[in-house]
Amino acid sequence: MSDVCELMIALDLRDEISEAELSELNWHLGTGPRPEHLTIVTAFPVVVLDDAGKPVIEDDPRPLLAGQGAAWRVGGALCSALASRADQARKGWSLMSRQEIHPDDFDEVGRLLCWLAARAHPTHVRGNGTVGIGFLRFHEAEVPDVLHVEDGQVVWPA
């Protein structure tokens, strides 16, 4: 039994993102190198065993939306892209990502999604203030659930 889900993000971002943030975002998407200093998602805790066999928590930074190629469980391909909207009437960035994600990764991915939602173009903000950010589908489900950020928190479907 696997808890793998398909995560699909399609979002336009405002043109207020710094070069350092763009660099880190590209790293998360698997389209750029890891920056020296992380500011979007700053903690990547992982439990490992020390030399005495006792569990300790270490920080293990990894890009969160960098899957590429054939999907393991959800079918299709995994990919991510960030495109400039500089030559369009609505400036900013267009982001798309399709990834496989396990519920154990919801916290870290959720921090990235909340950061993205805070920079989303107003067309993604609903009347009640929630930000539509994409979709989440359990790998055996036929229909995805809408994924949104409300009051700075991702509302993960049950």
Side-chain angles (χ1 to χ4, degrees), residues 74-95:
V74 301
L78 307 179
C79 57
S80 290
L82 182 65
S84 172
R85 299 180 58 85
D87 61 343
Q88 299 190 16
R90 189 173 73 222
K91 306 297 181 210
W93 301 91
S94 291
L95 182 146

Side-chain angles (χ1 to χ4, degrees), residues 86-107:
D87 61 343
Q88 299 190 16
R90 189 173 73 222
K91 306 297 181 210
W93 301 91
S94 291
L95 182 146
M96 188 283 306
S97 184
R98 181 177 188 263
Q99 300 292 311
E100 288 181 316
I101 182 174
H102 188 275
D104 289 348
D105 298 319
F106 282 4
D107 286 343

Side-chain angles (χ1 to χ4, degrees), residues 9-14 113-135 146-155:
I9 302 166
L11 189 67
D12 290 332
L13 304 171
R14 296 185 311 269
L113 297 181
C114 287
W115 184 89
L116 290 169
R119 288 147 185 84
H121 189 273
T123 58
H124 296 283
V125 181
R126 299 179 182 144
N128 63 1
T130 64
V131 179
I133 201 155
F135 303 93
V146 174
L147 189 60
H148 62 275
V149 173
E150 182 177 335
D151 297 326
Q153 297 292 318
V154 176
V155 179

Side-chain angles (χ1 to χ4, degrees), residues 24 39 45 49 55 59 67 72 121 128 136 138 142 146:
E24 186 172 347
T39 61
L49 298 178
D59 192 42
W72 175 62
H121 189 273
N128 63 1
L136 187 75
F138 178 66
E142 291 184 24
V146 174

